[in-house]
Structure formats: C-alpha cells, structure tokens
Amino acid sequence: MIGLIGKKKNMTQIFADDGTVIPVTIVEANPCVVTQVKTEEKDGYSAIQLGFGKKRKISMALKGHIKKGKLESVESIFEFRVSNPENYKVGQLLDVEIFTEGELIDVSGFSKGKGFQGVVKRHGFSGGPKTHGSTSHRVPGSVGASATPGRVVKGKKLPGRMGGERITVKNLKIVRVEKNNDLVAVKGAIPGSRNGIVILRKIASKEKKR
Amino acid sequence: MNKKETEKKEITAFNSGDTVQVFVQIQEGGKTRIQRFQGTVIKKRGEGISQTFTVRKVTQGIGIERIFPLNSPTLEKIKVIKRGKTRRAKLYYLRARKGKKAKVKEAR
C-alpha cells in the first residue's frame, strides 16, 4: 500500500492533552518523488516506485531511470504496491500529508547489526544455572537426539549473526504529523539506527475500505 | 524541535531541597480542578522534554512521594515556598529519617 520513505531520527516523548506521556520516534519524511508507475498490463502487477533523498554519486543507469521524474540524484528507491496506479504520475511529489494523526501504519527498516551472538541473546534461550557447580552458563544445551535422526534438524536455533536484517513493525500509531518540517511522530520504537532508512506504509485493509 | 506545546508556564527555577507547591490539573467526573501538592523536592532527573522531579511529603507519619513530568500540560505552576541548602542532588536519605532530622536546612 502507499507509503513514504523516511529517515529515522531520535526518540522522544509527546504529552497527550490529559498529561499522558506517549513515547514516540521521530521520522523525517521529506517529500518522495514517483519515479515509475507499474501497471498490470505492462509489468504484470501494479505498483508505484518512489525515490527518496539525495546522494553525491549515483550510477549512470539509475540516473537515466530517474530522469523521467526530473530528479538528478536519489538515495534510495522503493516500490509500493497500489491498487490504483492510474492515480499517480511520474514526477509527482508525495509528502507527509498522506498520513493523518491517529492512523495506524506499518514501519519497515534495517535493524542494527549485533554481530555473532549466542543463543541467549539471539533466540532468548534461558541458559543454564549460573552457580551450584554448573559450568553450562550460556550454552545452547542438547541440539538433537542420537543415531535417529543422526543429524541436527534444519532450522535449529544456534548461535550466529544477529541483526542487520529487514524488520517490519506493524500497527504503529501516528501521533503527530508536521507538514512544515516534514516530520512524522510514530508511537513506540522502530527498527534501525538513527538516520537509517525506514519505510512507512499505510495498512492494507484500511486502503481497501476507502 | 518537534514540540508545539512546550510554551513555558509559571515555572520558577527550583532545586533539590526546595519546598515547593505544585499545582496540577486533575479530571474528576468530567470536571477539571486544580490540586495542590506541597513537599520537598528530593530529585530532579532527565533532560529536555522528559525532565521529571519528585516531591516528598509526610502526612500522618506516612511518606508520600509524587513524580511530576516538568513539561506536562497538566502541570499548572510550581511555587517555591522555601529554598533549601543541600550537599547533594538526590535527597534519598530523607526517606530513612523522621521528625526534625528529616528537615533540609534553609538557604540564606
């Protein structure tokens, strides 16, 4: 569904009128430009492609692609599946006004890389006893049976690389939209580091109802 | 930054050890009224919009502490009644004391 590309800024808090404190993450969502409109007949599915931000050096191929949208440089490009691609034109600007305060959205981002981590941090295992002669403090324990099956089952939770993957958090409330500064305040935490690219996406079922 | 509602109200500067009167709006059966809470500030923490402070008072031998967000819209005003002189920023030691010993010296 239609959405915007933004940059995660700091977390802070906003007071509701009755004094309740709402924890929010500020997302800077400068206007995005439609760089391509994909339709069912031409591409097999309907979507719009948005370009966001600026970068000093981009490839000539990308430069040629975004020329139609009268853009010179772009930091990142994402596609949003829409049911009504005819409503959008290449070069059209989309800004934070597509969101309303109180609306629920999905936010995707690239989580912070944690490196090689053990099972306690990575999968939430409880680990072994810390004292009473135990030496199995943070070990994964048994990883399988004996001669049957004679191997470790696929998908067994083991130590390894953690983080640095795309994560979507669903149903986050938009607490505030500031048109002047292109800011959106989303309730709660969102994946990624500061200044990391995040995708704010309207919720599918809501768009269908309209 | 992203704050509309942070216009400063009648908040005079105060510190740990000061005796203050805090005026808070409270909702009661659809009506709002202003409640006062008087006591000693034993702690100030946080920065920016998330600053809070703790006020302690003793009523009928029972210690009551209330934490107020400094920038809350329900906080009407803070009146400093007495300035206190302290040697530390967090006055947790007052919790263990009773009577005259639980007093903060007045600043001159």
mmCIF file with all atom_site columns, all heavy atoms in Angstrom, chain B residues 14-34:
data_model
loop_
_atom_site.group_PDB
_atom_site.id
_atom_site.type_symbol
_atom_site.label_atom_id
_atom_site.label_alt_id
_atom_site.label_comp_id
_atom_site.label_asym_id
_atom_site.label_entity_id
_atom_site.label_seq_id
_atom_site.pdbx_PDB_ins_code
_atom_site.Cartn_x
_atom_site.Cartn_y
_atom_site.Cartn_z
_atom_site.occupancy
_atom_site.B_iso_or_equiv
_atom_site.pdbx_formal_charge
_atom_site.auth_seq_id
_atom_site.auth_comp_id
_atom_site.auth_asym_id
_atom_site.auth_atom_id
_atom_site.pdbx_PDB_model_num
ATOM 1   N N   . PHE B 1 14 ? 13.854  25.811 40.368 1.00 0.00 ? 14 PHE B N   1
ATOM 2   C CA  . PHE B 1 14 ? 13.933  25.237 41.705 1.00 0.00 ? 14 PHE B CA  1
ATOM 3   C C   . PHE B 1 14 ? 14.940  24.107 41.704 1.00 0.00 ? 14 PHE B C   1
ATOM 4   O O   . PHE B 1 14 ? 15.350  23.631 40.652 1.00 0.00 ? 14 PHE B O   1
ATOM 5   C CB  . PHE B 1 14 ? 12.564  24.744 42.180 1.00 0.00 ? 14 PHE B CB  1
ATOM 6   C CG  . PHE B 1 14 ? 12.006  23.636 41.326 1.00 0.00 ? 14 PHE B CG  1
ATOM 7   C CD1 . PHE B 1 14 ? 12.207  22.306 41.685 1.00 0.00 ? 14 PHE B CD1 1
ATOM 8   C CD2 . PHE B 1 14 ? 11.314  23.909 40.178 1.00 0.00 ? 14 PHE B CD2 1
ATOM 9   C CE1 . PHE B 1 14 ? 11.706  21.289 40.903 1.00 0.00 ? 14 PHE B CE1 1
ATOM 10  C CE2 . PHE B 1 14 ? 10.812  22.894 39.389 1.00 0.00 ? 14 PHE B CE2 1
ATOM 11  C CZ  . PHE B 1 14 ? 11.006  21.583 39.744 1.00 0.00 ? 14 PHE B CZ  1
ATOM 12  N N   . ASN B 1 15 ? 15.336  23.700 42.897 1.00 0.00 ? 15 ASN B N   1
ATOM 13  C CA  . ASN B 1 15 ? 16.359  22.670 43.020 1.00 0.00 ? 15 ASN B CA  1
ATOM 14  C C   . ASN B 1 15 ? 15.981  21.660 44.080 1.00 0.00 ? 15 ASN B C   1
ATOM 15  O O   . ASN B 1 15 ? 15.026  21.862 44.836 1.00 0.00 ? 15 ASN B O   1
ATOM 16  C CB  . ASN B 1 15 ? 17.697  23.313 43.381 1.00 0.00 ? 15 ASN B CB  1
ATOM 17  C CG  . ASN B 1 15 ? 18.548  23.490 42.145 1.00 0.00 ? 15 ASN B CG  1
ATOM 18  O OD1 . ASN B 1 15 ? 18.630  22.583 41.321 1.00 0.00 ? 15 ASN B OD1 1
ATOM 19  N ND2 . ASN B 1 15 ? 19.147  24.659 42.013 1.00 0.00 ? 15 ASN B ND2 1
ATOM 20  N N   . SER B 1 16 ? 16.773  20.613 44.159 1.00 0.00 ? 16 SER B N   1
ATOM 21  C CA  . SER B 1 16 ? 16.587  19.637 45.227 1.00 0.00 ? 16 SER B CA  1
ATOM 22  C C   . SER B 1 16 ? 16.717  20.341 46.575 1.00 0.00 ? 16 SER B C   1
ATOM 23  O O   . SER B 1 16 ? 17.588  21.181 46.747 1.00 0.00 ? 16 SER B O   1
ATOM 24  C CB  . SER B 1 16 ? 17.648  18.549 45.148 1.00 0.00 ? 16 SER B CB  1
ATOM 25  O OG  . SER B 1 16 ? 17.529  17.866 43.955 1.00 0.00 ? 16 SER B OG  1
ATOM 26  N N   . GLY B 1 17 ? 15.846  20.000 47.491 1.00 0.00 ? 17 GLY B N   1
ATOM 27  C CA  . GLY B 1 17 ? 15.897  20.596 48.807 1.00 0.00 ? 17 GLY B CA  1
ATOM 28  C C   . GLY B 1 17 ? 14.906  21.725 48.994 1.00 0.00 ? 17 GLY B C   1
ATOM 29  O O   . GLY B 1 17 ? 14.563  22.073 50.108 1.00 0.00 ? 17 GLY B O   1
ATOM 30  N N   . ASP B 1 18 ? 14.425  22.284 47.888 1.00 0.00 ? 18 ASP B N   1
ATOM 31  C CA  . ASP B 1 18 ? 13.448  23.357 47.981 1.00 0.00 ? 18 ASP B CA  1
ATOM 32  C C   . ASP B 1 18 ? 12.085  22.797 48.390 1.00 0.00 ? 18 ASP B C   1
ATOM 33  O O   . ASP B 1 18 ? 11.739  21.675 48.024 1.00 0.00 ? 18 ASP B O   1
ATOM 34  C CB  . ASP B 1 18 ? 13.287  24.068 46.631 1.00 0.00 ? 18 ASP B CB  1
ATOM 35  C CG  . ASP B 1 18 ? 14.537  24.819 46.242 1.00 0.00 ? 18 ASP B CG  1
ATOM 36  O OD1 . ASP B 1 18 ? 15.462  24.881 47.065 1.00 0.00 ? 18 ASP B OD1 1
ATOM 37  O OD2 . ASP B 1 18 ? 14.582  25.332 45.106 1.00 0.00 ? 18 ASP B OD2 1
ATOM 38  N N   . THR B 1 19 ? 11.361  23.597 49.153 1.00 0.00 ? 19 THR B N   1
ATOM 39  C CA  . THR B 1 19 ? 9.980   23.233 49.453 1.00 0.00 ? 19 THR B CA  1
ATOM 40  C C   . THR B 1 19 ? 9.096   23.911 48.415 1.00 0.00 ? 19 THR B C   1
ATOM 41  O O   . THR B 1 19 ? 9.161   25.121 48.240 1.00 0.00 ? 19 THR B O   1
ATOM 42  C CB  . THR B 1 19 ? 9.595   23.699 50.863 1.00 0.00 ? 19 THR B CB  1
ATOM 43  O OG1 . THR B 1 19 ? 10.541  23.145 51.765 1.00 0.00 ? 19 THR B OG1 1
ATOM 44  C CG2 . THR B 1 19 ? 8.220   23.227 51.231 1.00 0.00 ? 19 THR B CG2 1
ATOM 45  N N   . VAL B 1 20 ? 8.316   23.110 47.703 1.00 0.00 ? 20 VAL B N   1
ATOM 46  C CA  . VAL B 1 20 ? 7.524   23.681 46.618 1.00 0.00 ? 20 VAL B CA  1
ATOM 47  C C   . VAL B 1 20 ? 6.059   23.293 46.757 1.00 0.00 ? 20 VAL B C   1
ATOM 48  O O   . VAL B 1 20 ? 5.707   22.333 47.442 1.00 0.00 ? 20 VAL B O   1
ATOM 49  C CB  . VAL B 1 20 ? 8.021   23.209 45.231 1.00 0.00 ? 20 VAL B CB  1
ATOM 50  C CG1 . VAL B 1 20 ? 9.387   23.751 44.929 1.00 0.00 ? 20 VAL B CG1 1
ATOM 51  C CG2 . VAL B 1 20 ? 7.987   21.704 45.126 1.00 0.00 ? 20 VAL B CG2 1
ATOM 52  N N   . GLN B 1 21 ? 5.236   24.082 46.083 1.00 0.00 ? 21 GLN B N   1
ATOM 53  C CA  . GLN B 1 21 ? 3.826   23.765 45.973 1.00 0.00 ? 21 GLN B CA  1
ATOM 54  C C   . GLN B 1 21 ? 3.557   23.546 44.493 1.00 0.00 ? 21 GLN B C   1
ATOM 55  O O   . GLN B 1 21 ? 3.817   24.423 43.673 1.00 0.00 ? 21 GLN B O   1
ATOM 56  C CB  . GLN B 1 21 ? 3.001   24.930 46.513 1.00 0.00 ? 21 GLN B CB  1
ATOM 57  C CG  . GLN B 1 21 ? 1.691   24.505 47.075 1.00 0.00 ? 21 GLN B CG  1
ATOM 58  C CD  . GLN B 1 21 ? 1.032   25.608 47.853 1.00 0.00 ? 21 GLN B CD  1
ATOM 59  O OE1 . GLN B 1 21 ? 1.065   26.754 47.435 1.00 0.00 ? 21 GLN B OE1 1
ATOM 60  N NE2 . GLN B 1 21 ? 0.427   25.274 48.970 1.00 0.00 ? 21 GLN B NE2 1
ATOM 61  N N   . VAL B 1 22 ? 3.078   22.359 44.146 1.00 0.00 ? 22 VAL B N   1
ATOM 62  C CA  . VAL B 1 22 ? 2.839   22.021 42.748 1.00 0.00 ? 22 VAL B CA  1
ATOM 63  C C   . VAL B 1 22 ? 1.337   22.071 42.488 1.00 0.00 ? 22 VAL B C   1
ATOM 64  O O   . VAL B 1 22 ? 0.558   21.476 43.228 1.00 0.00 ? 22 VAL B O   1
ATOM 65  C CB  . VAL B 1 22 ? 3.392   20.617 42.417 1.00 0.00 ? 22 VAL B CB  1
ATOM 66  C CG1 . VAL B 1 22 ? 3.294   20.361 40.943 1.00 0.00 ? 22 VAL B CG1 1
ATOM 67  C CG2 . VAL B 1 22 ? 4.825   20.482 42.883 1.00 0.00 ? 22 VAL B CG2 1
ATOM 68  N N   . PHE B 1 23 ? 0.966   22.786 41.456 1.00 0.00 ? 23 PHE B N   1
ATOM 69  C CA  . PHE B 1 23 ? -0.454  22.902 41.087 1.00 0.00 ? 23 PHE B CA  1
ATOM 70  C C   . PHE B 1 23 ? -0.697  22.010 39.874 1.00 0.00 ? 23 PHE B C   1
ATOM 71  O O   . PHE B 1 23 ? -0.153  22.257 38.806 1.00 0.00 ? 23 PHE B O   1
ATOM 72  C CB  . PHE B 1 23 ? -0.816  24.354 40.746 1.00 0.00 ? 23 PHE B CB  1
ATOM 73  C CG  . PHE B 1 23 ? -0.705  25.293 41.916 1.00 0.00 ? 23 PHE B CG  1
ATOM 74  C CD1 . PHE B 1 23 ? 0.531   25.685 42.404 1.00 0.00 ? 23 PHE B CD1 1
ATOM 75  C CD2 . PHE B 1 23 ? -1.844  25.779 42.530 1.00 0.00 ? 23 PHE B CD2 1
ATOM 76  C CE1 . PHE B 1 23 ? 0.638   26.544 43.486 1.00 0.00 ? 23 PHE B CE1 1
ATOM 77  C CE2 . PHE B 1 23 ? -1.754  26.648 43.614 1.00 0.00 ? 23 PHE B CE2 1
ATOM 78  C CZ  . PHE B 1 23 ? -0.503  27.024 44.090 1.00 0.00 ? 23 PHE B CZ  1
ATOM 79  N N   . VAL B 1 24 ? -1.505  20.968 40.067 1.00 0.00 ? 24 VAL B N   1
ATOM 80  C CA  . VAL B 1 24 ? -1.779  20.033 38.963 1.00 0.00 ? 24 VAL B CA  1
ATOM 81  C C   . VAL B 1 24 ? -3.271  19.998 38.651 1.00 0.00 ? 24 VAL B C   1
ATOM 82  O O   . VAL B 1 24 ? -4.103  19.982 39.551 1.00 0.00 ? 24 VAL B O   1
ATOM 83  C CB  . VAL B 1 24 ? -1.382  18.571 39.309 1.00 0.00 ? 24 VAL B CB  1
ATOM 84  C CG1 . VAL B 1 24 ? -0.649  17.939 38.161 1.00 0.00 ? 24 VAL B CG1 1
ATOM 85  C CG2 . VAL B 1 24 ? -0.609  18.493 40.580 1.00 0.00 ? 24 VAL B CG2 1
ATOM 86  N N   . GLN B 1 25 ? -3.569  19.936 37.374 1.00 0.00 ? 25 GLN B N   1
ATOM 87  C CA  . GLN B 1 25 ? -4.959  19.759 36.942 1.00 0.00 ? 25 GLN B CA  1
ATOM 88  C C   . GLN B 1 25 ? -5.335  18.303 37.127 1.00 0.00 ? 25 GLN B C   1
ATOM 89  O O   . GLN B 1 25 ? -4.583  17.424 36.742 1.00 0.00 ? 25 GLN B O   1
ATOM 90  C CB  . GLN B 1 25 ? -5.094  20.058 35.450 1.00 0.00 ? 25 GLN B CB  1
ATOM 91  C CG  . GLN B 1 25 ? -5.181  21.503 35.104 1.00 0.00 ? 25 GLN B CG  1
ATOM 92  C CD  . GLN B 1 25 ? -5.271  21.685 33.614 1.00 0.00 ? 25 GLN B CD  1
ATOM 93  O OE1 . GLN B 1 25 ? -5.512  20.730 32.892 1.00 0.00 ? 25 GLN B OE1 1
ATOM 94  N NE2 . GLN B 1 25 ? -5.057  22.896 33.162 1.00 0.00 ? 25 GLN B NE2 1
ATOM 95  N N   . ILE B 1 26 ? -6.506  18.049 37.694 1.00 0.00 ? 26 ILE B N   1
ATOM 96  C CA  . ILE B 1 26 ? -6.978  16.671 37.696 1.00 0.00 ? 26 ILE B CA  1
ATOM 97  C C   . ILE B 1 26 ? -8.415  16.597 37.210 1.00 0.00 ? 26 ILE B C   1
ATOM 98  O O   . ILE B 1 26 ? -9.218  17.498 37.429 1.00 0.00 ? 26 ILE B O   1
ATOM 99  C CB  . ILE B 1 26 ? -6.822  15.958 39.068 1.00 0.00 ? 26 ILE B CB  1
ATOM 100 C CG1 . ILE B 1 26 ? -7.509  16.752 40.174 1.00 0.00 ? 26 ILE B CG1 1
ATOM 101 C CG2 . ILE B 1 26 ? -5.383  15.688 39.397 1.00 0.00 ? 26 ILE B CG2 1
ATOM 102 C CD1 . ILE B 1 26 ? -7.668  15.936 41.419 1.00 0.00 ? 26 ILE B CD1 1
ATOM 103 N N   . GLN B 1 27 ? -8.698  15.510 36.510 1.00 0.00 ? 27 GLN B N   1
ATOM 104 C CA  . GLN B 1 27 ? -10.028 15.270 35.958 1.00 0.00 ? 27 GLN B CA  1
ATOM 105 C C   . GLN B 1 27 ? -10.844 14.545 37.008 1.00 0.00 ? 27 GLN B C   1
ATOM 106 O O   . GLN B 1 27 ? -10.409 13.547 37.553 1.00 0.00 ? 27 GLN B O   1
ATOM 107 C CB  . GLN B 1 27 ? -9.923  14.387 34.712 1.00 0.00 ? 27 GLN B CB  1
ATOM 108 C CG  . GLN B 1 27 ? -9.359  15.082 33.507 1.00 0.00 ? 27 GLN B CG  1
ATOM 109 C CD  . GLN B 1 27 ? -10.443 15.678 32.638 1.00 0.00 ? 27 GLN B CD  1
ATOM 110 O OE1 . GLN B 1 27 ? -11.622 15.433 32.864 1.00 0.00 ? 27 GLN B OE1 1
ATOM 111 N NE2 . GLN B 1 27 ? -10.040 16.457 31.655 1.00 0.00 ? 27 GLN B NE2 1
ATOM 112 N N   . GLU B 1 28 ? -12.045 15.072 37.284 1.00 0.00 ? 28 GLU B N   1
ATOM 113 C CA  . GLU B 1 28 ? -12.885 14.416 38.265 1.00 0.00 ? 28 GLU B CA  1
ATOM 114 C C   . GLU B 1 28 ? -14.326 14.485 37.787 1.00 0.00 ? 28 GLU B C   1
ATOM 115 O O   . GLU B 1 28 ? -14.939 15.541 37.778 1.00 0.00 ? 28 GLU B O   1
ATOM 116 C CB  . GLU B 1 28 ? -12.736 15.109 39.614 1.00 0.00 ? 28 GLU B CB  1
ATOM 117 C CG  . GLU B 1 28 ? -12.502 14.159 40.745 1.00 0.00 ? 28 GLU B CG  1
ATOM 118 C CD  . GLU B 1 28 ? -12.141 14.881 42.019 1.00 0.00 ? 28 GLU B CD  1
ATOM 119 O OE1 . GLU B 1 28 ? -12.597 16.019 42.201 1.00 0.00 ? 28 GLU B OE1 1
ATOM 120 O OE2 . GLU B 1 28 ? -11.388 14.312 42.822 1.00 0.00 ? 28 GLU B OE2 1
ATOM 121 N N   . GLY B 1 29 ? -14.854 13.340 37.334 1.00 0.00 ? 29 GLY B N   1
ATOM 122 C CA  . GLY B 1 29 ? -16.247 13.304 36.889 1.00 0.00 ? 29 GLY B CA  1
ATOM 123 C C   . GLY B 1 29 ? -16.562 14.331 35.831 1.00 0.00 ? 29 GLY B C   1
ATOM 124 O O   . GLY B 1 29 ? -17.543 15.050 35.915 1.00 0.00 ? 29 GLY B O   1
ATOM 125 N N   . GLY B 1 30 ? -15.695 14.417 34.829 1.00 0.00 ? 30 GLY B N   1
ATOM 126 C CA  . GLY B 1 30 ? -15.946 15.339 33.736 1.00 0.00 ? 30 GLY B CA  1
ATOM 127 C C   . GLY B 1 30 ? -15.521 16.763 34.016 1.00 0.00 ? 30 GLY B C   1
ATOM 128 O O   . GLY B 1 30 ? -15.529 17.614 33.139 1.00 0.00 ? 30 GLY B O   1
ATOM 129 N N   . LYS B 1 31 ? -15.176 17.045 35.299 1.00 0.00 ? 31 LYS B N   1
ATOM 130 C CA  . LYS B 1 31 ? -14.737 18.406 35.621 1.00 0.00 ? 31 LYS B CA  1
ATOM 131 C C   . LYS B 1 31 ? -13.235 18.409 35.892 1.00 0.00 ? 31 LYS B C   1
ATOM 132 O O   . LYS B 1 31 ? -12.681 17.427 36.368 1.00 0.00 ? 31 LYS B O   1
ATOM 133 C CB  . LYS B 1 31 ? -15.482 18.910 36.858 1.00 0.00 ? 31 LYS B CB  1
ATOM 134 C CG  . LYS B 1 31 ? -16.805 19.581 36.507 1.00 0.00 ? 31 LYS B CG  1
ATOM 135 C CD  . LYS B 1 31 ? -17.407 20.242 37.716 1.00 0.00 ? 31 LYS B CD  1
ATOM 136 C CE  . LYS B 1 31 ? -18.157 19.223 38.567 1.00 0.00 ? 31 LYS B CE  1
ATOM 137 N NZ  . LYS B 1 31 ? -18.775 19.824 39.768 1.00 0.00 ? 31 LYS B NZ  1
ATOM 138 N N   . THR B 1 32 ? -12.602 19.522 35.607 1.00 0.00 ? 32 THR B N   1
ATOM 139 C CA  . THR B 1 32 ? -11.190 19.625 35.957 1.00 0.00 ? 32 THR B CA  1
ATOM 140 C C   . THR B 1 32 ? -11.053 20.601 37.106 1.00 0.00 ? 32 THR B C   1
ATOM 141 O O   . THR B 1 32 ? -11.715 21.636 37.167 1.00 0.00 ? 32 THR B O   1
ATOM 142 C CB  . THR B 1 32 ? -10.348 20.150 34.781 1.00 0.00 ? 32 THR B CB  1
ATOM 143 O OG1 . THR B 1 32 ? -10.986 21.300 34.249 1.00 0.00 ? 32 THR B OG1 1
ATOM 144 C CG2 . THR B 1 32 ? -10.157 19.114 33.706 1.00 0.00 ? 32 THR B CG2 1
ATOM 145 N N   . ARG B 1 33 ? -10.221 20.222 38.035 1.00 0.00 ? 33 ARG B N   1
ATOM 146 C CA  . ARG B 1 33 ? -9.933  21.154 39.119 1.00 0.00 ? 33 ARG B CA  1
ATOM 147 C C   . ARG B 1 33 ? -8.425  21.108 39.378 1.00 0.00 ? 33 ARG B C   1
ATOM 148 O O   . ARG B 1 33 ? -7.718  20.251 38.836 1.00 0.00 ? 33 ARG B O   1
ATOM 149 C CB  . ARG B 1 33 ? -10.720 20.818 40.381 1.00 0.00 ? 33 ARG B CB  1
ATOM 150 C CG  . ARG B 1 33 ? -10.348 19.487 40.983 1.00 0.00 ? 33 ARG B CG  1
ATOM 151 C CD  . ARG B 1 33 ? -11.146 19.265 42.251 1.00 0.00 ? 33 ARG B CD  1
ATOM 152 N NE  . ARG B 1 33 ? -10.695 18.041 42.905 1.00 0.00 ? 33 ARG B NE  1
ATOM 153 C CZ  . ARG B 1 33 ? -9.699  18.007 43.781 1.00 0.00 ? 33 ARG B CZ  1
ATOM 154 N NH1 . ARG B 1 33 ? -9.042  19.096 44.109 1.00 0.00 ? 33 ARG B NH1 1
ATOM 155 N NH2 . ARG B 1 33 ? -9.341  16.866 44.336 1.00 0.00 ? 33 ARG B NH2 1
ATOM 156 N N   . ILE B 1 34 ? -7.990  22.049 40.194 1.00 0.00 ? 34 ILE B N   1
ATOM 157 C CA  . ILE B 1 34 ? -6.554  22.134 40.438 1.00 0.00 ? 34 ILE B CA  1
ATOM 158 C C   . ILE B 1 34 ? -6.233  21.625 41.826 1.00 0.00 ? 34 ILE B C   1
ATOM 159 O O   . ILE B 1 34 ? -6.860  22.018 42.815 1.00 0.00 ? 34 ILE B O   1
ATOM 160 C CB  . ILE B 1 34 ? -6.063  23.578 40.213 1.00 0.00 ? 34 ILE B CB  1
ATOM 161 C CG1 . ILE B 1 34 ? -6.157  23.854 38.710 1.00 0.00 ? 34 ILE B CG1 1
ATOM 162 C CG2 . ILE B 1 34 ? -4.661  23.756 40.724 1.00 0.00 ? 34 ILE B CG2 1
ATOM 163 C CD1 . ILE B 1 34 ? -5.618  25.154 38.281 1.00 0.00 ? 34 ILE B CD1 1
#
